[in-house]
């Protein structure tokens, strides 16, 4: 079993804090917050030392797009945590969402769910000034080898998979314990599920699932899961 700690306090640094209002309204997120977790969106612009809410600048060396400035990110982190962000990552996971980062998988989600607190930094435009990644962050995480317009959706994906691992969040903790890629299923995809009606257009449900024989059902599920580990589903 690998459920996370009791609660996780997550700060997401973003240029679009209202995006996270929708996320906070989702049932499992509401449950997580009721059980002591928190999700707070922090606006990079709120503490920018630059005029007119500027947060980015043109890249040295030329090229398209704008780059999120290191002084702006430092000011936002200092305002939030009251310390030099160079030291922050020594005692708190500070995660930049980047396309080339460590790929998010179930093992990483479990690892993050064991942390008491997380900081997620969303990039925009061309991304982060490299010094942010070098000096302020403990991890870089990617949700896949493709490029999104910004880190906000990636942050929501990370938070979704982390929060649903916390005890009590899903109502029935076994939902998160035995599912695709979990230790309980030895990292394999989950077995198939069926519900009523038992017959539909001649499509039947495997007999064993209707047998009421729990040990046989369990054995069948594990076998199906192992079979699915053999290759991708169509
Ligand atoms: C348009 S992207 C920047 C892409 C960057 N120029 C590159 O080629 O790698 C803007 C921001 O979106 C976020 N982002 C985009 N794709 C992502 C992914 N697959 N996983 C995590 N974050 C992603 C990052 O925060 C990134 O800084």
């Amino acid at each position: 079993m690998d459920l996370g700690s009791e609660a996780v306090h997550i700060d997401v640094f973003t240029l679009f804090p209202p995006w996270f209002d929708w996320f906070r309204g989702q049932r499992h997120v509401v449950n997580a917050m009721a059980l002591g977790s928190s999700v707070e969106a922090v606006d990079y612009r709120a503490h920018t030392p630059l005029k007119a809410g500027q947060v980015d600048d043109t890249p040295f060396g030329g090229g398209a797009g704008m780059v999120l400035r290191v002084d702006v990110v430092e000011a936002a982190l200092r305002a939030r945590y009251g310390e030099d962000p160079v030291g922050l990552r020594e005692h708190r996971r500070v995660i930049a969402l980047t396309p080339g980062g460590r790929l998010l998988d179930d093992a990483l989600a479990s690892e993050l769910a064991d942390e008491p607190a997380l900081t997620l930094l969303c990039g925009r435009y061309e991304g982060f000034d490299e010094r942010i990644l070098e000096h302020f962050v403990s991890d870089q995480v990617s949700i896949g080898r493709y490029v999104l317009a910004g880190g906000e959706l990636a942050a929501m994906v990370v938070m979704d998979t982390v929060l649903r691992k916390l005890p009590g969040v899903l109502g029935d903790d076994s939902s998160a314990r035995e599912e695709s890629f979990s230790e309980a299923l030895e990292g394999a995809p989950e077995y198939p599920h069926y519900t009523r009606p038992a017959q539909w257009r001649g499509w039947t449900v495997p007999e064993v699932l209707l047998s009421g024989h729990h040990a046989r059902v369990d054995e069948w599920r594990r076998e199906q899961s192992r079979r699915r580990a053999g290759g991708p589903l169509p």
Side-chain angles (χ1 to χ4, degrees), residues 54-59 63-68 124-128:
Q54 186 188 347
V55 292
D56 54 2
D57 226 318
T58 52
M66 301 292 275
V67 177
L68 198 53
R124 271 272 149 183
Y125 320 118
E126 276 308 306
F128 299 98

Side-chain angles (χ1 to χ4, degrees), residues 5-200:
S5 59
E6 295 297 306
V8 185
H9 296 283
I10 310 179
D11 291 339
V12 193
F13 286 70
T14 172
L15 292 172
F16 305 100
W19 283 40
F20 294 90
D21 295 344
W22 171 84
F23 182 76
R24 268 197 297 266
Q26 302 312 301
R27 171 53 55 198
H28 60 300
V29 181
V30 169
N31 289 348
M33 293 194 300
L35 290 165
S37 290
S38 60
V39 173
E40 291 195 37
V42 182
D43 192 344
Y44 287 122
R45 284 190 211 282
H47 296 281
T48 177
L50 309 174
K51 286 198 189 103
Q54 186 188 347
V55 292
D56 54 2
D57 226 318
T58 52
F60 287 128
M66 301 292 275
V67 177
L68 198 53
R69 286 177 54 137
V70 63
D71 50 350
V72 169
V73 174
E74 170 158 345
L77 288 167
R78 274 187 188 274
R80 181 74 180 171
Y81 302 111
E83 65 175 283
D84 186 339
V86 170
L88 181 66
R89 65 177 175 182
E90 302 301 326
H91 59 90
R92 182 180 176 110
R93 295 286 279 268
V94 180
I95 300 169
L97 283 320
T98 62
R102 174 176 168 191
L103 275 177
L104 179 65
D105 60 10
D106 192 66
L108 177 54
S110 295
E111 193 182 308
L112 298 180
D114 278 337
E115 295 287 336
L118 300 171
T119 295
L120 304 180
L121 303 182
C122 302
R124 271 272 149 183
Y125 320 118
E126 276 308 306
F128 299 98
D129 182 302
E130 191 64 20
R131 292 165 290 184
I132 297 167
L133 305 177
E134 275 174 22
H135 301 290
F136 299 160
V137 315
S138 57
D139 308 68
Q140 294 185 46
V141 170
S142 169
I143 63 160
R145 295 295 186 238
Y146 44 79
V147 178
L148 301 163
E152 287 72 18
L153 292 176
M156 288 186 211
V157 169
V158 171
M159 291 192 289
D160 191 284
T161 187
V162 166
L163 293 175
R164 68 194 298 287
K165 285 188 178 287
L166 303 180
V169 165
L170 295 185
D172 179 352
D173 286 341
S174 63
S175 310
R177 200 177 300 132
E178 191 174 296
E179 63 183 355
S180 291
F181 320 121
S182 61
E183 276 177 34
L185 295 182
E186 296 158 10
E190 199 185 42
Y191 43 79
H193 294 286
Y194 297 86
T195 187
R196 294 181 187 85
Q199 291 248 19
W200 181 251

